[in-house]
Amino acid sequence: MKTFSVLLFMLMAASTATFAQDTKTAEKKEAVKIYNPDANAQADIDAAVLRARKLGKHVFIQVGGNWCPWCIAFHQLVDRTPELKTYLNQNYETVLVNYSKENKNEAVMAGLNYPGRFGYPVFVILDGKGKVLHIENSAYLEEGKGHSVKKVTDFLKNWTYAAVDPQTYAKKENTSK
């Protein structure tokens, strides 16, 4: 019986230590604050649309939350890949829209045609009038164990202002004649 009590005590101590470690890990994950649940997402989108219209760009919206490891990983990929970050900044006005238990931004999600149906992160491209041009399931931009810089870049190239402007193609047809 004494051996059983000692084993039971050791098992409880190990469980408590594991629980404490899991709590510390969870606290570290919560420390990431890329998305702001308190932000006025609609105001941020409206401001980005206005800037995009003036600059001849489109708006790139990344919807996700601080709870989402894939959202954080994508954000870090852009930050640590200078050519990707530069391309994104040159061609898009970027907005991060929070979706979390603290703020689901339900009205904004409805206005963006419910992009969360594809999971998170999800990317939405708006034109300079605020019209949704495209919603991209970010899983299509993955390769191996993360997002592919090439796939992300190709996706972004396909939705720039110039890429969807009919004048871009009219100019090419006129020069090829």
Side-chain angles (χ1 to χ4, degrees):
M1 185 68 164
K2 185 176 182 182
T3 304
F4 177 75
S5 296
V6 170
L7 285 174
L8 184 59
F9 175 76
M10 290 174 63
L11 181 61
M12 287 174 40
S15 295
T16 302
T18 300
F19 177 76
Q21 184 62 33
D22 288 344
T23 303
K24 287 180 183 177
T25 302
E27 287 172 2
K28 285 182 185 176
K29 287 181 183 176
E30 279 299 314
V32 176
K33 298 292 182 197
I34 293 171
Y35 295 88
N36 181 359
D38 298 323
N40 182 336
Q42 190 59 61
D44 292 347
I45 292 169
D46 292 345
V49 166
L50 185 61
R51 285 190 309 271
R53 185 179 322 137
K54 288 179 182 177
L55 298 170
K57 295 181 175 184
H58 282 157
V59 178
F60 174 81
I61 300 175
Q62 180 183 331
V63 183
N66 297 321
W67 53 269
C68 169
W70 283 101
C71 302
I72 304 306
F74 179 80
H75 191 80
Q76 291 171 343
L77 173 73
V78 172
D79 272 352
R80 72 171 185 263
T81 311
E83 55 278 358
L84 180 57
K85 188 174 188 172
T86 299
Y87 190 83
L88 186 61
N89 291 335
Q90 286 176 344
N91 292 281
Y92 295 91
E93 291 298 314
T94 302
V95 179
L96 298 178
V97 172
N98 178 76
Y99 179 85
S100 67
K101 63 183 179 187
E102 297 86 11
N103 186 355
K104 293 182 180 180
N105 277 307
E106 291 171 351
V108 171
M109 294 302 192
L112 296 174
N113 299 328
Y114 302 100
R117 68 186 184 273
F118 296 111
Y120 298 96
V122 62
F123 310 129
V124 182
I125 306 295
L126 304 180
D127 67 9
K129 295 178 183 173
K131 177 184 171 196
V132 174
L133 297 177
H134 184 72
I135 300 171
E136 182 72 10
N137 178 340
S138 70
Y140 297 147
L141 305 177
E142 294 174 15
E143 189 168 75
K145 296 182 179 184
H147 292 98
S148 160
V149 171
K150 181 181 180 340
K151 287 183 178 184
V152 171
T153 303
D154 289 346
F155 159 69
L156 292 172
K157 286 180 179 179
N158 285 324
W159 291 100
T160 63
Y161 180 85
V164 299
D165 181 11
Q167 293 301 315
T168 300
Y169 304 100
K171 291 174 189 173
K172 286 182 182 180
E173 287 179 14
N174 289 335
T175 58
S176 65
K177 291 181 181 179

